[in-house]
Amino acid sequence: MFLTGLAALAVVPTLPTAARDLDGVALFPLVAGCFVAASLLGGVLGGHWADRSGAHRPLAAGMVLAVATLLVSAASTSIWQLAAGRFLDGLAGGMVAVSINAAIGQAYPDRLRARALALMSACWIVPSLVGPPLAGLVAGWWSWRAVFFGLAVLTLVPALVVVALLRGRSWPPAPAPSADRPRSPALMVATAVSAGAALGQYGVSGWDMRHLLFVAGGLVLLVVFAPRLLPPGTWRAGRGLPATVLLRGLGSGVFFTLEAFVPLLLVTDRGAPPVLIGLAFTGAAVAWAAASWAQSRLLEDRPRHHLVVAGALVLATAVVIAVAGTLSAMPAFVAASAMVVAAIGMGMLAPSLTVLSLSHSPADRQGYASGAMQTAQNLGQITVLGLSSALLNACLGAGSTDSAGYAAAFGLLLAPCLLSTLLAARTRIT
């Protein structure tokens, strides 16, 4: 998990530079969105595989695939190869994350599971602090390809050790699939949603008939299949769990889009060094952790839906800062600071929504609620990023300057922020 976190957090700051060098800035949303779309599919695939054959097989397969996909991305000669690498990386990441949780459940006694899960969460702390700035330094002094190759070499030996240990250890047999847990339909739905998301991300990169057809095909798949992964009433913000799930998607979409487009703005329009982008990611990680701690300790007596409102307003503030950062008179660190402010908002918003989702669900449905929240997060990231990408490319296609296009794309993010503020009361516990 430490290596998975290091690879995930170190790679992201280098992607704008890679897209620029591969002449694929217009397709950058596809590169960013492929990982999210594939992680949804990888999570479902890994969970079903772990239930059928034990968690050791999808975990080993995910580790091997993680090394292979780093090599695919490092050797990219086109933006399409980089997008394929990111898709495989999302598939591996989803499989590993779900398999680790399943492995803890299958291999550890009850008294050790909570400690094992806490250790998995702690494994992300150091990567969030050192991964992005270190990757920025390597990309600035050497090459973005060196980041991918270095991570592949770093991951190879531990991955082989894990695979060898899993093969040599006896594993408790997985329980037989129960009749009330359909597996193939859920996997088909996840595949359709991932395909729809990928088609949509490619379609918004242009405005000719071919791109519009891809957008239409992606929308059809999402409209038909995505509701099957979410609670009934999510799209109309039904009170309780549906509204909570919807707001998780909206907030995550805003944060993910800022996290994707602010570095792209800094690289393509401001010529900022990669190390600045890495520091922005590290600052965002620290700010998220600090805000999360504050809401759990200093603000624990406040009603949770009030914290949702506060988090959404802080996200809106981050959007305004990002818009201001597109002005040529503003220094580059202004735009970079939008990521840190947005992380403060998410540090308040995301844990509060998670607590509300569990409070709205009976004990035997909390797993379903957690899965719905994760699915909404992925769908929100893909949808909001796609809409902002479409607006950015439309502005650039109409002859607008890069700064004006980014300002329009950022300005669009105010809509989900304000909608979250208005709908927060529907998440409260009655």
Side-chain angles (χ1 to χ4, degrees), residues 352-364:
S352 299
L353 289 173
T354 300
V355 171
L356 286 168
S357 71
L358 297 175
S359 300
H360 288 308
S361 306
D364 61 346

Side-chain angles (χ1 to χ4, degrees), residues 325-396:
T326 63
L327 301 176
S328 58
M330 292 290 183
F333 73 82
V334 173
S337 67
M339 294 172 57
V340 179
V341 176
I344 295 174
M346 285 301 292
M348 300 173 63
L349 182 82
S352 299
L353 289 173
T354 300
V355 171
L356 286 168
S357 71
L358 297 175
S359 300
H360 288 308
S361 306
D364 61 346
R365 296 285 287 173
Q366 289 182 346
Y368 167 78
S370 298
M373 292 285 281
Q374 182 66 35
T375 300
Q377 174 179 308
N378 291 343
L379 290 175
Q381 291 171 353
I382 293 166
T383 303
V384 177
L385 177 64
L387 292 174
S388 294
S389 302
L391 183 56
L392 171 62
N393 289 320
C395 292
L396 297 180

Side-chain angles (χ1 to χ4, degrees), residues 5-428:
L6 183 64
L9 294 169
V11 161
V12 173
T14 68
L15 292 178
T17 303
R20 182 194 61 189
D21 292 349
L22 295 173
D23 295 325
V25 173
L27 289 172
F28 180 76
L30 176 65
V31 175
C34 270
F35 180 88
V36 179
S39 64
L40 189 153
L41 176 59
V44 175
L45 177 61
H48 289 184
W49 195 353
D51 284 345
R52 290 180 180 272
S53 306
H56 59 302
R57 292 182 179 176
L59 179 55
M63 290 293 294
V64 173
L65 184 59
V67 177
T69 188
L70 288 170
L71 296 175
V72 170
S73 298
S76 294
T77 58
S78 69
I79 195 67
W80 290 104
Q81 184 176 344
L82 183 63
R86 293 301 292 159
F87 186 88
L88 292 175
D89 197 13
L91 195 65
M95 290 174 60
V96 168
V98 171
S99 299
I100 284 179
N101 289 336
I104 290 173
Q106 293 177 4
Y108 284 78
D110 290 343
R111 62 185 178 85
L112 292 180
R113 288 175 184 170
R115 293 163 65 180
L117 289 170
L119 180 60
M120 292 302 102
S121 298
C123 286
W124 285 81
I125 296 176
V126 174
S128 68
L129 296 176
V130 304
L134 184 60
L137 287 173
V138 172
W141 291 345
W142 198 353
S143 167
W144 60 267
R145 298 181 188 275
V147 176
F148 285 95
F149 278 125
L151 288 169
V153 172
L154 188 64
T155 308
L156 177 60
V157 174
L160 294 177
V161 171
V162 168
V163 171
L165 288 174
L166 291 176
R167 286 175 57 86
R169 181 179 295 272
S170 60
W171 206 263
S178 60
D180 60 344
R181 286 189 297 171
R183 303 180 184 279
S184 295
L187 185 58
M188 291 173 58
V189 170
T191 302
V193 171
S194 297
L199 290 175
Q201 294 296 338
Y202 170 70
V204 298
S205 64
W207 285 94
D208 54 33
M209 183 56 65
R210 177 168 60 90
H211 285 85
L212 292 177
L213 288 176
F214 276 101
V215 170
L219 284 176
V220 169
L221 289 174
L222 290 176
V223 169
V224 172
F225 291 101
R228 303 186 187 185
L229 302 175
L230 301 172
T234 297
W235 302 125
R236 52 182 175 81
R239 292 187 180 276
L241 182 61
T244 305
V245 170
L246 177 63
L247 264 61
R248 179 57 177 266
L250 293 176
S252 298
V254 172
F255 181 77
F256 182 73
T257 303
L258 286 173
E259 203 176 47
F261 277 160
V262 167
L264 190 64
L265 166 71
L266 294 175
V267 168
T268 60
D269 195 52
R270 294 303 183 86
V275 66
L276 175 62
I277 299 171
L279 290 174
F281 276 94
T282 296
V286 174
W288 187 316
S292 181
W293 177 87
Q295 63 83 31
S296 67
R297 300 297 181 90
L298 305 179
L299 303 173
E300 59 181 340
D301 295 330
R302 297 290 301 176
R304 284 289 154 181
H305 66 282
H306 288 179
L307 297 182
V308 172
V309 172
L313 291 176
V314 174
L315 276 177
T317 303
V319 171
V320 173
I321 294 174
V323 173
T326 63
L327 301 176
S328 58
M330 292 290 183
F333 73 82
V334 173
S337 67
M339 294 172 57
V340 179
V341 176
I344 295 174
M346 285 301 292
M348 300 173 63
L349 182 82
S352 299
L353 289 173
T354 300
V355 171
L356 286 168
S357 71
L358 297 175
S359 300
H360 288 308
S361 306
D364 61 346
R365 296 285 287 173
Q366 289 182 346
Y368 167 78
S370 298
M373 292 285 281
Q374 182 66 35
T375 300
Q377 174 179 308
N378 291 343
L379 290 175
Q381 291 171 353
I382 293 166
T383 303
V384 177
L385 177 64
L387 292 174
S388 294
S389 302
L391 183 56
L392 171 62
N393 289 320
C395 292
L396 297 180
S400 300
T401 62
D402 288 352
S403 298
Y406 283 112
F410 289 141
L412 181 65
L413 302 180
L414 284 174
C417 293
L418 297 179
L419 188 60
S420 298
T421 303
L422 296 174
L423 295 176
R426 302 181 71 85
T427 68
R428 69 176 177 224

